[in-house]
Amino acid sequence: MVSERVQSQVFGEVATEYDDVRPGYPVEIADRVLAYAGSRPRSIVEVGAGTGKGTEVLRTLDAPIVCVEPDAAMAGVLRRRFAEDQLVDIAVSRFEDWTPPVTGVDLLASAQAWHWVGHRTRTQLAADALAPGGVLALFAHDFGFADGDTATAMQNVYLKYAPEIAHGVPSNLHPDVFHPDELRTSPLFTDFEQQEVIRVVPFPTPRYLRLLSTFSNHRMLPDQRRTRLHQAIAELIDGRGGVLHQQLTTGLILARRAA
Ligand SMILES: C[S@@+](CC[C@H](N)C(=O)[O-])C[C@H]1O[C@@H](n2cnc3c(N)ncnc32)[C@H](O)[C@@H]1O
């Protein structure tokens, strides 16, 4: 029997590539979390840590961190990256199946992964994992385009070759990734804040195609269609000088567990 691929589980197919090509997070994210929390957390849990890109930033807070990551291949890269680090512990598990410490943790963070946790339960699970007054910090990149004309041309390529993933080009991941209203309106959380850090990162054509090959919506396309889409994207970028200027807006959502 051939098992069906599930979109939330395709990252491990390209774990090493993911780690190589996905942009990390600006260290300001940790600075902003610290400023919001008001004091250094004594304990951190990171949901969907992947290969450790968010973990690197969270480690600057200098607290013990438990990385909850269900994919064995992603967790393997993560384990190698922090092999010498006594403060990093890894639980190979979905967040839904993981048992938090009874005392709760000071900081629960998730980088580009919160949308993969079951939407019916994630807000309650986050509150259950946090100590009273503890902070929830969700962050993720919105992969936009620095140039509006390129954004429009890119949208047309998607509409032609893969219309089902054309929505959100230039991408606007924030609502999809964060579901901010879930937290803003939840009685379990208070002091809701949304912030952004914006930067432009150049991607030469081959590297941009490698980046796209780590996105779950691209991975779910049938091989032939993904190849045609990527050929068209390559032609577009090459026709504009061979470098795509990706505007990375790193969104950060902060909320505090109500007492
Ligand atoms: C886009 S990757 C983000 C990885 C890393 N945090 C980063 O920013 O690069 C999403 C990660 O969420 C993990 N994931 C998927 N479902 C999950 C769940 N239910 N609980 C925890 N993590 C999950 C995936 O295995 C994957 O490693």
Side-chain angles (χ1 to χ4, degrees):
M1 196 180 91
V2 180
S3 62
E4 208 177 305
R5 280 165 85 234
V6 176
Q7 193 171 347
S8 64
Q9 295 170 12
V10 297
F11 300 102
E13 296 170 358
V14 284
T16 311
E17 185 73 347
Y18 182 109
D19 194 48
D20 184 37
V21 79
R22 284 275 187 126
Y25 301 95
V27 77
E28 289 116 285
I29 293 294
D31 300 340
R32 291 179 185 211
V33 171
L34 185 57
Y36 175 89
S39 62
R40 205 167 281 282
R42 288 159 303 177
S43 52
I44 306 175
V45 168
E46 185 189 1
V47 178
T51 64
K53 289 186 175 287
T55 319
E56 278 197 342
V57 166
L58 294 167
R59 275 297 287 117
T60 66
L61 296 172
D62 209 21
I65 176 165
V66 177
C67 297
V68 183
E69 168 53 50
D71 186 280
M74 298 295 266
V77 177
L78 178 68
R79 192 169 285 115
R80 285 194 289 283
R81 169 176 272 165
F82 293 102
E84 306 291 316
D85 192 330
Q86 304 287 317
L87 289 184
V88 177
D89 205 6
I90 299 168
V92 181
S93 171
R94 294 188 323 148
F95 183 53
E96 296 91 323
D97 303 326
W98 178 77
T99 307
V102 279
T103 48
V105 294
D106 285 351
L107 174 63
L108 183 70
S110 184
Q112 210 95 30
W114 194 240
H115 53 302
W116 296 123
V117 179
H119 71 278
R120 288 204 177 85
T121 53
R122 62 189 160 213
T123 303
Q124 184 68 56
L125 288 174
D128 291 347
L130 282 165
V135 169
L136 176 63
L138 309 177
F139 51 101
H141 297 312
D142 171 22
F143 292 87
F145 303 99
D147 157 41
D149 186 53
T150 301
T152 305
M154 197 67 88
Q155 169 78 348
N156 290 335
V157 169
Y158 276 84
L159 286 173
K160 182 163 178 194
Y161 294 100
E164 69 272 43
I165 61 169
H167 70 90
V169 180
S171 66
N172 182 7
L173 279 173
H174 291 167
D176 292 349
V177 171
F178 295 136
H179 302 272
D181 287 340
E182 278 179 17
L183 290 169
R184 200 186 278 120
T185 59
S186 169
L188 300 172
F189 284 90
T190 180
D191 298 345
F192 179 91
E193 277 190 26
Q194 186 158 5
Q195 305 183 12
E196 286 180 350
V197 179
I198 299 177
R199 66 204 156 115
V200 173
V201 178
F203 278 88
T205 308
R207 191 168 173 83
Y208 190 64
L209 295 187
R210 289 174 59 210
L211 173 71
L212 293 180
S213 297
T214 69
F215 287 142
S216 62
N217 56 359
H218 282 247
R219 297 210 60 71
M220 293 304 283
L221 290 172
D223 287 348
Q224 224 181 7
R225 292 190 53 226
R226 186 172 62 241
T227 302
R228 287 219 316 267
L229 172 69
H230 286 197
Q231 272 166 356
I233 290 173
E235 278 164 26
L236 191 159
I237 302 171
D238 286 344
R240 290 161 183 255
V243 178
L244 181 94
H245 291 94
Q246 184 100 82
Q247 179 163 304
L248 281 185
T249 304
T250 308
L252 170 66
I253 293 257
L254 294 159
R256 207 179 300 278
R257 195 195 123 170

